[in-house]
Amino acid sequence: MLAVDDVIPEKSRLKFYFQTPHTSFSSVREIMTLGGRIDIPEAQLKDLQTLIAAVTGLEEDFPADAEVPCAPEYNPSAKDNFIELPILLSGYLYYFDIGLGSTLPNIKFYTPVRRYGRDDLSLAHGITGWMENHGRGEYCQRYLSMLENLSQHRALQDGKGMQTYVSCLFKKNGELDITSYIGPEAFDSARMTNGKANGVPKKGTRRRSDS
């Protein structure tokens, strides 16, 4: 996919999105460094490797040249939807940001955790555990509370799909810029059953004439 900024040409960027079927960390390293053209400290690459392990439930010594196993079906009720086609959820995604005059792009890595991750609770604990282990746990409890509040139609440990992607961009200060993408399953059948979510009646829309 190709996108551009809607600004004056001098400030616009080309944005390329690519998908690859390969999920080994060796392939991640090859792409994030452009085959060695982008100098990324080994410590940052190791942090990314442990992050991937944390959100996919892998052991930290999982072989770097092995492909990450994925669940055959993460949401059976949505398997006929276009967006849930396995080919669209398999492999990793990369975003290349190319600014005017840049010699090398900025590259962001995405893993579709709704395909490769465990249940939403284990995934959330994986993300927050990694953050806490790297001195970045200030908002972890709020993140867990937010997920619980959004997932009133089911327990987080009973499925996955609430968290859809986790992305990572290497910042110039040495930190990993990490983003978790949320899909609140607004039209999940469990939200609609008998107009209740986890036994709590669904609030109706208040009309102007009711006030």
Side-chain angles (χ1 to χ4, degrees), residues 46 49-50 52-64 69 118:
K46 183 61 177 178
Q49 186 175 16
T50 58
I52 294 172
V55 301
T56 53
L58 299 174
E59 298 294 331
E60 289 196 11
D61 60 354
F62 186 78
R118 300 163 291 177

Side-chain angles (χ1 to χ4, degrees), residues 3 8 19 23 41 43 45 115 117 134 138 142 151 155 157 197 203:
I8 59 174
Q19 180 178 357
T23 57
L45 290 168
R115 178 70 165 170
H134 289 76
E138 180 179 358
R142 295 184 192 179
S151 187
Q157 66 267 26
K203 294 181 180 179

